[in-house]
């Protein structure tokens, strides 16, 4: 696994020949939690074949998709956690989901020509999705002069590759061989202080900064700084995207055990949501769970 921001241009080799039996099982759930009056989280699960086909979302849509011929199957997973006061947070995350789906549809020419030599440009173009969402949010009317904002964690999966672009403190986890690894970085002031070397992760003085973001989409006049991660997936890998309504109250060992023990991805997403609510559900909870698995080839 490698992680970097979007500007490095390291040479890579990439085999995009996909065994026909590799499939991605995926499911999602979003819940208001126990303390909030409304759900300001949104998620999207979509398949890209000849068209973008939405599999599940809690954002209203018209059900139509643009035709795309000659493209190998891909999967788009997105979690957005809105901020900005009463209705602005809900609107911000909803706009982020709608805009990400539209942006990926507009990128379809990339999926027709994606090769190892074009991978860096592809990742940069995918990262620009967050900039595009930010421009959309900046164009919205301001409620009391305050700009709406949202976290965005987006994974585009073309087995056996996964590309993640991210801003904020929602997360993407990879579960492999009995271990869980957080792929994304929390773009909080607390995490920045830890990375700078002056504080320990468990330092109680960081508590007030754990939910203060220095990087997100919108919510100010700073241009978003997308984080980009590339992963070579293996058979049996499990992926979890979530808002901090889950990661803030359910520890990683519990996430690992719950996902590993679940009979399928929907059961994993449901159980993780239940666990967050049992911990008090202080925030909205959104979980997208996925598993790379094998499927018998039909002759």
């Amino acid at each position: 696994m490698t992680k970097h921001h979007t500007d490095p241009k390291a040479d890579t080799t990439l085999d995009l020949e996909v065994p026909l039996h590799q499939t991605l099982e995926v499911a999602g759930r979003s819940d208001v939690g126990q303390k909030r009056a409304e759900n300001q989280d949104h998620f999207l699960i979509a398949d890209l074949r000849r068209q973008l086909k939405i599999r599940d979302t809690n954002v209203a849509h018209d059900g139509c998709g643009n035709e795309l011929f000659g493209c190998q199957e891909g999967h788009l997973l997105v979690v957005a956690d809105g901020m900005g006061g009463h209705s602005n947070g809900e609107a911000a995350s909803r706009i982020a989901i709608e805009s990400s789906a539209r942006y990926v549809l507009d990128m379809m020419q990339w999926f027709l020509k994606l090769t190892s030599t074009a991978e860096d440009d592809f990742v940069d173009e995918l990262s620009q999705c967050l900039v595009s969402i930010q421009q959309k949010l900046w164009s919205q009317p301001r409620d009391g002069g305050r700009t709406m904002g949202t976290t965005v964690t987006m994974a585009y999966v073309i087995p056996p590759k996964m590309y993640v672009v991210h801003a904020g403190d929602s997360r993407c986890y990879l579960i492999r061989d009995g271990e869980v690894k957080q792929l994304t970085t929390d773009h909080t002031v607390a995490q920045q202080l830890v990375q700078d070397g002056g504080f320990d992760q468990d330092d109680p003085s960081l508590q007030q900064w754990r939910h203060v973001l220095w990087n997100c989409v919108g919510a100010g006049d700073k241009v978003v700084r997308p984080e980009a991660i590339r992963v070579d997936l293996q058979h049996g890998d499990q992926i979890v995207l979530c808002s901090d309504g889950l990661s803030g109250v359910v520890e990683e060992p519990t996430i690992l055990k719950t996902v590993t023990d679940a009979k399928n991805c929907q059961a994993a997403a449901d159980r993780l949501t239940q666990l967050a609510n049992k911990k008090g559900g202080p925030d909205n909870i959104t979980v997208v769970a996925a598993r790379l698995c094998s499927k018998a080839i039909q002759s």
Side-chain angles (χ1 to χ4, degrees), residues 27 66 132 137 204 211 251 277 280:
N66 288 357
S132 176
L137 293 179
H211 299 288
E251 296 180 348
N277 275 318

Side-chain angles (χ1 to χ4, degrees), residues 3-292:
K3 179 165 70 174
H4 56 81
H5 289 275
T6 60
D7 50 347
K9 298 292 184 180
D11 290 334
T12 60
T13 57
L14 175 66
D15 181 5
L16 286 178
E17 293 295 322
V18 181
L20 294 178
H21 66 275
Q22 285 188 316
T23 61
L24 191 75
E25 178 197 350
V26 60
R29 180 170 173 178
S30 190
D31 189 89
V32 69
Q34 303 296 309
K35 304 295 183 181
R36 304 291 189 182
E38 67 171 354
N39 191 354
Q40 297 188 351
D41 287 1
H42 287 98
F43 75 95
L44 173 75
I45 299 168
D47 299 325
L48 289 89
R49 296 188 181 96
R50 292 181 180 271
Q51 63 182 4
L52 185 146
K53 180 182 178 183
I54 295 178
R55 197 189 290 195
D56 192 10
T57 182
N58 63 337
V59 174
H61 62 93
D62 58 14
C64 64
N66 288 357
E67 290 294 318
L68 174 70
F69 295 94
C71 176
Q72 70 183 70
E73 182 175 348
H75 310 275
L76 180 66
L77 319 177
V78 191
V79 165
D81 179 357
M83 64 194 75
H86 183 55
S87 62
N88 277 359
E90 187 279 333
S93 62
R94 172 170 41 82
I95 290 169
I97 294 295
E98 295 168 345
S99 298
S100 62
R102 176 54 53 189
Y103 189 91
V104 170
L105 280 173
D106 291 342
M107 277 184 66
M108 287 306 187
Q109 73 276 9
W110 275 104
F111 307 122
L112 296 172
K113 65 181 183 180
L114 182 57
T115 64
S116 59
T117 56
E119 188 189 19
D120 286 323
D121 291 336
F122 170 76
V123 172
D124 288 342
E125 184 72 16
L126 194 62
S127 297
Q128 284 299 306
C129 178
L130 272 60
V131 178
S132 176
I133 294 170
Q134 185 172 66
Q135 294 293 335
K136 182 72 172 178
L137 293 179
W138 280 349
S139 71
Q140 302 301 307
R142 299 190 178 191
D143 182 7
R146 186 176 184 183
T147 306
M148 65 178 67
T150 184
T151 72
V152 177
T153 301
M154 173 193 301
Y156 184 75
V157 183
I158 315 175
K161 302 291 294 187
M162 178 171 71
Y163 306 90
V164 181
V165 291
H166 161 77
D169 62 352
S170 296
R171 292 182 178 181
C172 179
Y173 293 104
L174 175 66
I175 294 173
R176 174 185 294 170
D177 297 331
E179 296 182 352
V180 58
K181 179 179 178 61
Q182 181 182 337
L183 298 178
T184 51
T185 303
D186 293 342
H187 295 158
T188 62
V189 173
Q191 185 60 37
Q192 192 69 33
L193 292 170
V194 171
Q195 290 179 333
D196 289 343
F199 292 84
D200 183 76
Q201 190 73 249
D202 298 323
D203 193 319
S205 65
L206 294 178
Q207 186 60 37
Q208 62 179 321
W209 304 108
R210 295 193 188 280
H211 299 288
V212 180
L213 300 179
W214 64 266
N215 184 41
C216 61
V217 183
D221 57 3
K222 291 184 179 179
V223 177
V224 62
R225 293 175 55 187
E227 178 183 13
I229 304 105
R230 311 179 210 190
V231 180
D232 294 305
L233 295 175
Q234 300 176 7
H235 169 69
D237 280 353
Q238 294 169 280
I239 304 155
V240 175
L241 275 65
C242 66
S243 63
D244 66 340
L246 175 74
S247 60
V249 294
V250 179
E251 296 180 348
E252 289 185 4
T254 302
I255 294 174
L256 171 64
K257 178 173 173 52
T258 302
V259 173
T260 303
D261 291 349
K263 63 181 180 180
N264 55 43
C265 290
Q266 189 63 67
D270 291 346
R271 181 57 179 159
L272 288 172
T273 302
Q274 292 169 3
L275 290 173
N277 275 318
K278 285 185 176 180
K279 291 281 189 175
D283 203 349
N284 305 147
I285 308 152
T286 298
V287 183
V288 173
R291 177 188 287 113
L292 188 65

